[in-house]
Amino acid sequence: MTTDVSVLTRTLRAAFIGGGFMAAVHSRAARAAGAELVGAASSSAKRAADAAARLGLAGSFDSVDALLTDPSIDVVHVCTPNATHAPLARAVLEAGKHVICEKPLATGSADAAELTALAAERGLVASVPFVYRFHPMAREARARVASGELGALATVQGEYLQDWLANATDDDWRVDTALGGPSRAFADIGSHLVDLVEFTSGDRIVRLSAAARTVHANRVKHADISTEDLAAVVVELASGAVGTLLVSQVAPGHKNGLVIELSGADATVRFEQERPDRLWLGRVSGSQLVERDPAALAPDAARLSRVPAGHPMGYQDAFNAFVADSYAAIRGEAPDGLPTFADGLRAVQVTEAVLASAASRDWVEVPA
């Protein structure tokens, strides 16, 4: 999968575009995966130098072009505002480098499809951090569904609730369509929810009906905001299962409440991201909590369980596992469940369907 066979035998050299919160998360994961952290580029040479010093990188680049023309760099992490993802990811691929691009992959499906095709054409690893699928107990839920333990899937329900934009005094660049794209709450966190539901269930949303609302049209720095603060979606899956999804960034008291629940004819499984070391498993005869114990988990869940039972694992652990698997793919391996640009395209397509349904107040088909 690599255009440089020497990558298979030497330490990967990673660089970063952007220097904010996500660049810090990416750089910690890259360091944990054993990469050499070459440097960063940002909106200016000074900001790049500041980011490099803050993140502990070896150096910085005066421009993105300077970073991309460095022949020693193997993989580039794109950690910038949403509207820049597509052009930057395209430039990285055209430079012949592997890419890990923050989501949404693009603000429109045409760009996302083009990037997916370009990565395949160039034979380059291109991944998107849908990292919640890297929690061991999310993989355990997936394994139990795949084994048939739940029986035929009947319903799915999920929510992703946050409160960091709950007040009109809260503001962020993401509310601006010029930087964040036409969708905010759903593109930002609804995409994670949909990815986790489809990944664990092994099923696909085929039709949906959505309602969306902008609670605060005016904030401290932005006025006439059109991006949604929340969205509620009714979904139909290819198997015939039905479900509901609720996404909000204005739900007081909820910090990162990502929850999915899948119910079949025989059992129900529930995963809560804020309590990631356990699953709730329900049956008519009673329910139980399944704790994370590598010795008792499905092989893929055990593989991602990096510390012994009783030692909590969390978000950065999941992100580290995602980057480690991305780097393994660059080295020619085929880790199970790595989210690629095809998954990034899928998220954009579902987001567009949600926006279209909310605007038309009608059911919308989701591309296969």
Side-chain angles (χ1 to χ4, degrees), residues 12 36 56 59 95 166 173 197 221 251 264 272 278 288 300 304 323:
L12 291 176
E36 182 179 346
W173 60 262
V197 165
K221 297 179 181 179
E272 301 180 16
R278 70 187 194 191
Q288 67 180 112
D300 198 37
L304 295 173
V323 170

Side-chain angles (χ1 to χ4, degrees), residues 141 144-153 262-269 281:
R144 288 173 181 260
V145 173
S147 73
E149 182 176 349
L150 272 61
L153 193 64
L262 312 175
S263 292
D266 302 317
T268 297
V269 67
L281 188 65

Side-chain angles (χ1 to χ4, degrees), residues 278-303:
R278 70 187 194 191
L279 287 180
W280 180 82
L281 188 65
R283 295 186 176 87
V284 173
S285 58
S287 62
Q288 67 180 112
L289 291 177
V290 180
E291 302 289 346
R292 183 183 59 78
D293 181 354
L297 299 181
D300 198 37
R303 174 182 75 88

Side-chain angles (χ1 to χ4, degrees), residues 45 49 158 241-242 274:
V242 296
E274 291 182 329

Side-chain angles (χ1 to χ4, degrees), residues 89-344:
R90 185 180 299 109
V92 174
L93 292 171
E94 289 176 344
K97 302 182 187 300
H98 306 284
V99 59
I100 298 175
C101 182
E102 263 303 320
K103 32 82 12 211
L105 176 57
T107 57
S109 59
D111 282 337
E114 178 190 341
L115 290 169
T116 303
L118 180 60
E121 175 190 320
R122 297 295 178 94
L124 293 164
V125 172
S127 61
V128 178
F130 288 121
V131 298
Y132 298 112
R133 58 165 78 178
F134 285 84
H135 282 297
M137 299 311 284
R139 295 291 175 112
E140 180 68 12
R142 179 185 182 227
R144 288 173 181 260
V145 173
S147 73
E149 182 176 349
L150 272 61
L153 193 64
T155 64
V156 301
Q157 56 181 313
E159 60 185 39
Y160 200 157
L161 307 178
Q162 299 177 333
D163 68 359
W164 67 287
L165 289 171
N167 301 312
T169 52
D170 300 321
D171 211 334
D172 188 79
W173 60 262
R174 290 171 178 82
V175 308
D176 185 351
T177 55
L179 295 175
S183 172
R184 186 199 345 130
F186 205 88
D188 185 18
I189 59 176
S191 57
H192 279 298
L193 177 58
V194 168
D195 179 76
L196 195 58
V197 165
E198 293 194 335
F199 181 70
T200 56
S201 70
D203 210 345
R204 284 289 181 111
I205 296 169
V206 294
R207 299 178 70 231
L208 59 81
S209 178
R213 182 184 174 198
T214 303
V215 176
H216 300 298
N218 297 292
R219 295 181 179 270
V220 175
K221 297 179 181 179
H222 296 88
D224 300 322
I225 296 167
S226 61
T227 56
E228 77 284 357
D229 288 313
L230 58 87
V233 189
V234 179
V235 297
E236 292 183 4
L237 280 68
S239 66
V242 296
T244 59
L245 307 175
L246 179 63
V247 172
S248 175
Q249 293 178 321
V250 293
H254 289 280
K255 303 306 176 185
N256 209 61
L258 171 58
V259 179
I260 62 165
E261 185 170 301
L262 312 175
S263 292
D266 302 317
T268 297
V269 67
R270 179 182 178 92
F271 172 76
E272 301 180 16
Q273 192 276 153
E274 291 182 329
R275 297 172 180 82
D277 277 343
R278 70 187 194 191
L279 287 180
W280 180 82
L281 188 65
R283 295 186 176 87
V284 173
S285 58
S287 62
Q288 67 180 112
L289 291 177
V290 180
E291 302 289 346
R292 183 183 59 78
D293 181 354
L297 299 181
D300 198 37
R303 174 182 75 88
L304 295 173
S305 190
R306 303 298 176 88
V307 297
H311 296 268
M313 293 181 64
Y315 171 74
Q316 187 68 55
D317 295 294
F319 214 106
N320 290 2
F322 157 71
V323 170
D325 273 8
S326 295
Y327 289 1
I330 291 171
R331 294 188 175 97
E333 299 176 32
D336 181 46
L338 179 66
T340 67
F341 274 18
D343 298 293

Side-chain angles (χ1 to χ4, degrees), residues 28-81:
R28 288 194 293 267
R31 184 176 287 110
E36 182 179 346
L37 278 54
V38 178
S42 191
S43 55
S44 69
K46 182 181 184 306
R47 289 175 69 91
D50 289 345
R54 180 165 28 85
L55 302 178
L57 311 183
S60 63
F61 295 88
D62 290 344
S63 67
V64 171
D65 286 345
L67 183 155
L68 294 179
T69 55
D70 184 333
S72 73
I73 294 173
D74 302 304
V75 56
V76 178
H77 295 245
V78 176
C79 313
T80 54

